[in-house]
Amino acid sequence: MLTRGFATIARLRWLVLLSALGCAVALGLAAEAGNRAAMYTAVGGIIGCGGLVLLAMRYRPAALVPARDEPALIDPPAPHLVMQGVMFTLMCSVLVIGKVGAVLDREIGWPVDAVGSALVLVGVAGQWYLALGGLGLRVRPDGVVNRQLFGSLFIPWEAFAAGFPVTPAKHRLNVYYDRPELVRKRGVLVSRDTLPATVEPIRLAELIQDYVRHPERRSAIGS
């Protein structure tokens, strides 16, 4: 039942996040007007979302899914990232909305409130970007791409070791090369030696191994 629920959260991620935004605004305005129940509700929601994030991190879809924007197989939406987006959005009701009046009226300490609120909003925007997709693994006809927030890694099929290109580990794949000079890395915090596995690592490893050993099948990727 939990698996089905997390799959639904991932599929309806836009609706979930927009609903969280509406709740955050309503709770923040009510709390600013002196409604303590609204504040307690927001804090309880944040704590509850944190618990759901921990549970959702154990959810692993079986396989990659076809991309809409190019011929590729990509990571399916991650429910724990959606719930993190909800949690950060609810945090706005506690940390940001109550500061808006102080900033607009330039009360004592308003620059600190303005900077703090801006940082929270940037964090929320980042969480929404992660939740809505665009990052993660892409298996394409020309190779494997790992897109992360601060960098990316492109591994052409020719770069992989022919015998054992990848081996599965917990939440990741270990990568081995015959021609490491073909690998292209941009940015920071992206490893050349591992790939993230948001789906079942064993099935993902088998998929990549199959395309390394059978080049004639690569043209059908994502079709």
Side-chain angles (χ1 to χ4, degrees), residues 54-161:
L54 295 177
L55 285 175
M57 288 178 71
R58 302 174 61 184
Y59 169 78
R60 283 285 179 274
L64 302 178
V65 297
R68 296 182 179 180
D69 56 343
E70 64 173 341
L73 297 172
I74 62 173
D75 284 331
H80 74 278
L81 293 178
V82 178
M83 294 313 303
Q84 281 181 196
V86 172
M87 184 172 65
F88 271 73
T89 302
L90 289 176
M91 285 174 63
C92 280
S93 64
V94 177
L95 301 176
V96 174
I97 294 178
K99 306 293 184 182
V100 172
V103 172
L104 293 177
D105 295 336
R106 299 204 171 187
E107 296 178 1
I108 296 175
W110 72 266
V112 176
D113 290 338
V115 172
S117 298
L119 291 175
V120 172
L121 291 175
V122 169
V124 171
Q127 288 297 324
W128 276 49
Y129 182 72
L130 293 174
L132 294 173
L135 300 180
L137 208 64
R138 285 182 173 245
V139 177
R140 307 189 314 200
D142 58 343
V144 177
V145 179
N146 177 21
R147 295 179 180 173
Q148 297 301 323
L149 196 58
F150 298 106
S152 65
L153 183 74
F154 173 64
I155 308 174
W157 294 114
E158 296 77 13
F160 284 104

Side-chain angles (χ1 to χ4, degrees), residues 141 206 209-211 213-223:
E206 290 173 346
Q209 289 167 359
D210 184 65
Y211 286 129
R213 295 166 183 168
H214 300 280
E216 70 279 2
R217 299 178 183 175
R218 298 171 191 166
S219 61
I221 292 175
S223 60

